[in-house]
């Protein structure tokens, strides 16, 4: 088994429960191994996530969020758990969600932001800003 095949096999066998810090480290190693760090500026990573670019009329390139949006474009409202979706459609959705997540983690790392900590702080701010109403229930 070649070095890259071994790396892929190890990735497939890794535990599903992985921290944002672990993902960040894996992304950094991935970029370094391919000499992509020079392209990973905050601006470039953000553009990869978001913006539609047109190289020419026949060659549309869509950012990762655009690719994610395309999956839902003609589906209308979709129920929780994606009832009636084919497994292949769910797998495709998982891939596109992962692309967005990985770019956001890489962007936060390049910017020196602890995304896990920032998300926790944001949840706390939102809890204060939007307290539960008396009609809300808790588990």
């Amino acid at each position: 088994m070649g070095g890259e095949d071994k790396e892929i096999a190890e990735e497939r066998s890794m535990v599903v429960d992985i921290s944002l810090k672990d993902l960040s480290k894996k992304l950094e190693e991935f970029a370094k191994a391919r000499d992509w760090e020079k392209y990973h500026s905050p601006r470039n990573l953000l553009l990869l996530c978001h913006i539609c670019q047109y190289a020419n009329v026949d060659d549309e390139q869509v950012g990762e969020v655009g690719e994610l949006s395309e999956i839902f474009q003609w589906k209308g409202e979709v129920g929780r758990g994606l009832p009636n979706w084919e497994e292949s459609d769910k797998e495709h959705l998982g891939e596109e969600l992962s692309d967005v997540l990985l770019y956001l983690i890489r962007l936060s790392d390049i910017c020196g932001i602890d995304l896990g900590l920032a998300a926790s702080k944001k949840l706390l701010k939102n809890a204060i800003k939007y307290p539960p109403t008396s009609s809300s229930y808790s588990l």
Side-chain angles (χ1 to χ4, degrees):
M1 188 180 291
E4 195 160 315
D5 292 338
K6 184 178 178 184
E7 180 182 325
I8 291 169
E10 288 173 3
E11 291 294 321
R12 285 186 180 154
S13 68
M14 76 177 195
V15 178
V16 174
D17 187 16
I18 186 168
S19 73
L20 291 177
K21 288 186 187 289
D22 290 339
L23 279 174
S24 177
K25 181 140 181 66
K26 286 184 175 294
L27 288 168
E28 181 180 6
E29 291 168 359
F30 186 88
K32 278 183 181 177
R34 289 153 181 83
D35 196 27
W36 287 356
E37 287 191 305
K38 59 188 166 209
Y39 305 114
H40 286 190
S41 68
R43 178 188 170 274
N44 287 348
L45 290 166
L46 179 61
L47 292 177
L48 284 168
C49 285
H50 180 60
I51 294 183
C52 293
Q53 303 168 336
Y54 297 93
N56 62 50
V57 176
D58 297 327
D59 184 22
E60 182 179 338
Q61 296 178 346
V62 179
E64 296 301 338
V65 173
E67 289 180 22
L68 183 58
S69 298
E70 285 177 344
I71 295 172
F72 289 94
Q73 186 171 8
W74 306 112
K75 300 249 189 226
E77 288 301 318
V78 177
R80 186 179 192 125
L82 309 175
N84 304 319
W85 278 41
E86 300 289 329
E87 278 306 310
S88 60
D89 292 333
K90 289 181 180 183
E91 184 174 336
H92 182 220
L93 175 60
E95 290 171 358
E96 297 306 332
L97 285 166
S98 296
D99 284 342
V100 172
L101 175 65
L102 294 173
Y103 276 120
L104 288 174
I105 291 170
R106 186 71 175 138
L107 175 60
S108 67
D109 188 41
I110 294 296
C111 293
I113 303 295
D114 181 331
L115 192 57
L117 180 60
S120 294
K121 286 180 176 180
K122 183 62 176 175
L123 282 172
L124 181 59
K125 280 185 177 181
N126 284 347
I128 294 167
K129 186 175 180 178
Y130 305 105
T133 62
S134 58
S135 62
S136 296
Y137 64 91
S138 61
L139 297 176

